[in-house]
Amino acid sequence: FLYPTTPFTMAEYSTGLCQCFMDPMQALDTYFCPCCAASRMWKAAEGEGDSLDMVMCLAAWCCGPCVRIATRMKVVAKYSISEGAIISVCLGLLPCTSACSACQDFRELTVQGTWPGCTICPKEPTDYKSMK
């Protein structure tokens, strides 16, 4: 049997790592309630938008960096983003990039059609495509 071969292409994130204040309310929500934001992003990566899982929220409170890294890797895998595991780990662990990494994942999930929702700044999803 001959199978058609199509080249597999890796995607890039739709927005940059340092574009945290592209959506200030979402950045504030992610910064001031990182555990809930991590839980919401985890659920969104599983296909459940605007949903909060209290068990995942507690896990993020107990072991924030681990959940942050796992969420980033889940988003990278789901959308075939060209980012290695070492980069994902560094972005999730380093204090200077962890919040920006979370904001970038939030924006990517929203662009891909699964808005994670907000905890302290409720609103409708932002159209990041029109903000480029």
Side-chain angles (χ1 to χ4, degrees):
F1 290 88
L2 295 176
Y3 295 100
T5 58
T6 56
F8 181 72
T9 57
M10 298 295 283
E12 297 293 324
Y13 271 93
S14 302
T15 61
L17 179 67
C18 297
Q19 291 181 307
C20 296
F21 292 103
M22 179 182 224
D23 183 356
M25 296 309 285
Q26 179 268 317
L28 289 171
D29 191 77
T30 302
Y31 183 77
F32 286 112
C33 195
C35 300
C36 294
S39 169
R40 288 179 172 282
M41 285 185 276
W42 183 268
K43 295 301 280 183
E46 291 181 338
E48 294 181 43
D50 200 8
S51 178
L52 179 68
D53 181 348
M54 289 308 292
V55 173
M56 184 56 73
C57 191
L58 181 61
W61 183 76
C62 294
C63 189
C66 295
V67 172
R68 180 69 229 108
I69 292 164
T71 302
R72 177 113 182 152
M73 293 175 105
K74 191 172 194 141
V75 170
V76 165
K78 181 173 182 152
Y79 300 117
S80 300
I81 295 173
S82 61
E83 177 176 285
I86 293 172
I87 299 296
S88 293
V89 168
C90 289
L91 291 174
L93 281 179
L94 296 174
C96 58
T97 59
S98 184
C100 291
S101 169
C103 289
Q104 186 181 36
D105 287 339
F106 183 100
R107 292 189 306 269
E108 189 63 31
L109 288 161
T110 303
V111 166
Q112 297 290 346
T114 310
W115 183 55
C118 289
T119 303
I120 58 175
C121 301
K123 60 181 181 74
E124 293 298 312
T126 301
D127 182 12
Y128 297 115
K129 290 179 184 178
S130 68
M131 297 175 84
K132 282 190 171 184

